[in-house]
Amino acid sequence: MSPSQLRFDLRLIADMVAPKTRVLDVGCGEGELLKFLRDTKKVDGRGIELSMAGVAAAVRQGLSVIQGDADTDLKDYPAGAFDYVILSQTLQATRNPREVLEQMLRIGKHAIVSLPNFGHWRVRLSLLAHGRMPVTSSLGFAWYDTPNIHLCTIDDFIDLAQAIGARIERGLAIDSSGQIRPFTPPDWKANLMGENGLFLLGK
Amino acid sequence: MNLPPVLAPGGIDPRTQACSTAELGPLKLDCGVVLERITVAWRTYGTLNADKSNAILVCHALTGDQYLADSHPVTGKPGWWHTLVGPGNLFDTDRYFLICSNVLGGCMGTTGPVEINPQTGKPWGLGFPVITIGDMVNAQALLLDHLGIEQLFCVVGGSMGGMQVLEWAASHPRRVFAALPIATSSRHSAQNIAFGEVGRQAIMADPDWHEGDYHSKGTNPHRGLAVARMAAHITYLSEPALHKKFGRKLQNRQNVTYGFEADFQIESYLRHQGSTFVERFDANSYLYITRAMDYFDLAAEHGGKLANAFKGTPVRFCVISFTSDWLFPTRESRAIVHALNAVAANVSFVEIESDKGHDAFLLDEPEFHKTLQGFLDGAAEHRGLLPGRSVDS
């Protein structure tokens, strides 16, 4: 797989991973990112995926993936087992985001987290203009059937990272046209213009 | 089993005519007994490559044997995994060298209670020492030494075969590159011990059993063994599978007979399972092997913590379970996975959707086979085993 074939947000995550490291991808789907990291960066990758169909597809590609859940299964791993623990577009769907993030930084030297930004201007405008829960391109669910039970803004996430003593090593805000804006918090523009946020955290 | 226990010198033993045998040993058993010499009977498929890196050990289940892929010498039926073995197949014999040996305690040529005790010149019977899954694995290790194989590319097996896989990975981690425990557990549950006990009591209640000395009495506790098999067979299926296959359908009749004949198809089916099983299996072997499964508890062997069994393991694991398997349910596979995660082992885990119960690992389950294939291909790539003709001939 060439970098151009990898989903845009996964490519940004892949760029944060150093070669020949140990990676745990939490919510790895069918293992697209793990396969890319294995093939291009010789990464020793593992995955956790909730859906059995995703797990089966990943294992069929020779990837080491288990069926499991970010909320319950991270506690099994020993401290410092991985160089990077990745959680892509999933933190907002976990039952206990704080604990998940703490676990990620316990078992990994770094955590890489991407999330939809509820502080994006479109979301703000949508709520202001219509008075209803926003449904946007990155948040495409009605309030009653969304898996996203813990939505937050980029600034909210930064607060959480600081609360658990994590160091934000890199922050990227990605706007709706795919423009990438590196930022160092606090940055009100990132929280307004970023449709998605991507963070590399350390301890 | 109706085979002559004592074969005349030079006589041909049909059980081992189509396989290899060797005298190996000594083997120190977990119970403390040392068997100076044991016979191991095995089949191989494919060719061992020059650096001896392409060997796969296939561990058979309770009532399986070494005839993995060719017809059974006693029953004439095809091997228990014959659909998966062959050139270009899942277990590609152009790529891998497959070894399948009859377990210690078995009755297809490897030393067990049906064989002759060299001390007495008579079949061992209940004089045979109680064996464990660990003893079975150590007997297989002697076979690997005999074949000059230092490290297996893969150890694979379902049910009791999966127990052997786990034992291999725990006791001989350097001799295993990849491990595939399927539909198994790191310890026999109370329910499984209970079913084992029902089977054993059925055998022992048969007057033809004679405290295990039936060979010298010229009898065979085939009724007890058949009941044991019938009871066990139910545990290999699932309620939905039974319902789908048999329901309440009657066997060759329009109405019930108000008697105790096999009115229902399920009864007839189980009776058939029982009667065909006794043709190829020895009652005492059944006692010994079920006991070995009962005693299996990998955590207990490692200070009560399963993760300790795998500390620092270099082995790549793929754990597989089936949704409808209630004999070795998914939660037991998950416990193995949790233990492997606790030592940051390289592990995959897939639960296959199937209504076929425990037996699913022996049946045509495309999703299962795709998972096996994916894992094997991935592991082979890491081991540097090329697809197809990797054999240096």
Side-chain angles (χ1 to χ4, degrees), chain B residues 20-90:
Chain B
S20 312
T21 57
E23 298 284 316
L24 308 170
L27 179 65
K28 187 173 189 302
L29 303 176
D30 283 338
C31 68
V33 171
V34 178
L35 295 174
E36 284 306 326
R37 302 303 283 167
I38 58 162
T39 304
V40 175
W42 77 95
R43 274 291 283 131
T44 67
Y45 307 88
T47 315
L48 188 62
N49 62 6
D51 60 359
K52 301 187 174 187
S53 62
N54 67 337
I56 297 181
L57 179 70
V58 184
C59 303
H60 69 72
L62 165 59
T63 64
D65 50 48
Q66 68 272 35
Y67 296 100
L68 175 69
D70 40 7
S71 67
H72 194 278
V74 178
T75 64
K77 285 186 185 154
W80 54 274
W81 248 1
H82 74 279
T83 55
L84 305 188
V85 179
N89 213 326
L90 201 158

Side-chain angles (χ1 to χ4, degrees), chain A residues 46 52 60 63-65 67 76, chain B residues 334 338 342 345-346 348-349:
Chain A
R46 314 286 163 77
M52 225 358 125
R60 281 205 296 272
L63 299 166
S64 302
V65 173
Q67 198 272 334
D76 291 335
Chain B
R334 218 178 271 282
H338 285 174
N346 190 323
S348 292
F349 164 56

Side-chain angles (χ1 to χ4, degrees), chain B residues 82-146:
Chain B
H82 74 279
T83 55
L84 305 188
V85 179
N89 213 326
L90 201 158
F91 293 112
D92 185 352
T93 46
D94 285 341
R95 190 179 201 180
Y96 306 120
F97 176 60
L98 279 93
I99 309 162
C100 185
S101 66
N102 189 211
V103 291
L104 187 69
C107 53
M108 284 304 289
T110 293
T111 297
V114 75
E115 306 302 328
I116 304 299
N117 177 354
Q119 308 284 322
T120 64
K122 291 182 190 163
W124 280 93
L126 287 201
F128 194 69
V130 169
I131 45 145
T132 64
I133 299 291
D135 296 331
M136 293 176 185
V137 164
N138 288 333
Q140 290 160 347
L142 288 178
L143 174 61
L144 291 197
D145 295 343
H146 175 73

Side-chain angles (χ1 to χ4, degrees), chain A residues 22 38 44 46 52 55-56 59-68 73 76-78 81, chain B residues 316 318 334 337-338 341-351 367 370-371 374-375 378:
Chain A
R22 287 166 66 91
R38 178 188 70 185
D44 179 7
R46 314 286 163 77
M52 225 358 125
V55 177
V59 174
R60 281 205 296 272
Q61 299 181 73
L63 299 166
S64 302
V65 173
I66 65 162
Q67 198 272 334
D73 292 330
D76 291 335
Y77 294 90
Chain B
R316 301 169 70 86
C318 182
R334 218 178 271 282
V337 173
H338 285 174
N341 281 344
V343 295
N346 190 323
V347 56
S348 292
F349 164 56
V350 182
E351 182 191 32
E367 279 304 311
K370 279 185 212 158
T371 303
F375 176 73

